[in-house]
Every structure is written in structure tokens, then in C-alpha cells.
Amino acid sequence: MTDPRPRRTVQRTLPARKRIALIAHDGKKEELLAWATRWQQTLADHELVGTGTTAGRISAQLGLKVEGLMSGPLGGDQQIGARITEQRLDLLVFFWDPFAPQPHDPDVKALLRLAALWNIPVACNAASADFLISSPWLSEPYEMTIPDAQAWVASRNSQG
């Protein structure tokens, strides 16, 4: 029987200029904006992407260039997840609201699962985001291991 998990045997180097996703549920948008304001100069040195309203508000209020994707309920979380699997995203800052049920909760869970699977650093509140953004690795290349997806697919295909 095939191991249901790909082994973490492939090296990936995160670039010095990170690709950072910024996402916030409605009840957390103001908190994310306040956090981004504190870290505006640092964030300006990196490539930013965000979902829907969050990307628009950060861009408009802080003057930061943020690539806007769809809103979360319209597929934005899945767009971010696709970038993770394609290794086109390096950090995820996702201020999710634990008090508000979301109509797209399965998408949120899938996004967090992909971040865990692909070894992407994740911050889900201001304190964890502070630790992440102030890391000495933020502006340095960083070596990490990720699943060897090609070998895993090849082993599953050879099973029959």
C-alpha cells in the first residue's frame, strides 16, 4: 500500500523578497489594516497579494501595491491556495474571525490545510503576524523542505 503522504524531501528556497498574502475576514479588516500600518515600510519591500476588499483597502489607505484577487467567498481563498501549491507564495497573513461563521468555511479550512502541507509560514492574528514579519528570515533567502509531489504522484501511478 502506498503512503498517503508525500515525503518532505525536496528543498525550496524562499526568496529574500517574499510574496506575502494578506487576508482578513470582515470582522478583522480593521485589525489587519492597523497591523499593516505599523509594518507599512517593511511590507513595501515585498510583493503583496490579497483577497477582495482587504487588498483594495490596504492599497487605497496605505499606498502599498497589493495585487487584488477575488473576495474569499467568491474564490479568493482558493486562488491563494493555488499559489501555495504552485510555490508562488511565501507567507500567509490571514486574520480570520473565530466568532463569525463564514459561508466559505470549507475554503478557509482548505487554504489552511494547503499552507500546512506546503510548509508555508502562517500568521492568524496580530501577535503571530508581528513575530513572522519581524523574523530575521523575512528579508533573507530561506531554505525549507516541501513535499516531493512529483515522486508521490509517480509512485501512486505505478501502483496501477
Side-chain angles (χ1 to χ4, degrees):
M1 185 158 124
T2 307
D3 186 351
R5 291 173 239 201
R7 297 174 195 237
R8 288 185 186 258
T9 58
V10 176
Q11 289 291 105
R12 176 180 176 212
T13 303
L14 300 184
R17 184 171 190 259
K18 303 294 186 287
R19 295 162 294 186
I20 303 171
L22 302 171
I23 305 172
H25 284 153
D26 288 345
K28 294 290 185 169
K29 288 192 190 318
E30 291 302 322
E31 187 177 344
L32 180 64
L33 275 166
W35 176 83
T37 300
R38 287 195 312 275
W39 292 100
Q40 183 173 357
Q41 293 304 315
T42 302
L43 290 169
D45 293 335
H46 299 279
E47 185 178 326
L48 307 175
V49 62
T51 54
T53 308
T54 303
R57 288 185 66 186
I58 291 171
S59 184
Q61 292 180 21
L62 302 181
L64 292 170
K65 181 179 175 189
V66 184
E67 179 187 356
L69 303 177
M70 298 300 290
S71 120
L74 295 177
D77 296 335
Q78 291 181 349
Q79 288 178 296
I80 296 290
R83 289 190 183 201
I84 290 171
T85 63
E86 295 164 351
Q87 299 174 34
R88 294 175 45 218
L89 191 73
D90 305 314
L91 304 175
L92 174 60
V93 176
F94 185 1
F95 284 24
W96 58 274
D97 189 347
F99 289 109
Q102 303 295 324
H104 62 293
D105 273 342
D107 299 332
V108 171
K109 184 176 181 181
L111 174 60
L112 294 174
R113 179 191 167 279
L114 288 172
L117 172 68
W118 290 99
N119 206 16
I120 298 295
V122 178
C124 61
N125 54 42
S128 61
D130 285 342
F131 275 78
L132 192 64
I133 203 84
S134 65
S135 167
W137 292 111
L138 183 69
S139 296
E140 299 290 330
Y142 178 77
E143 291 285 327
M144 59 192 249
T145 58
I146 61 171
D148 188 349
Q150 290 179 341
W152 185 70
V153 169
S155 74
R156 293 177 58 88
N157 287 339
S158 69
Q159 298 291 319

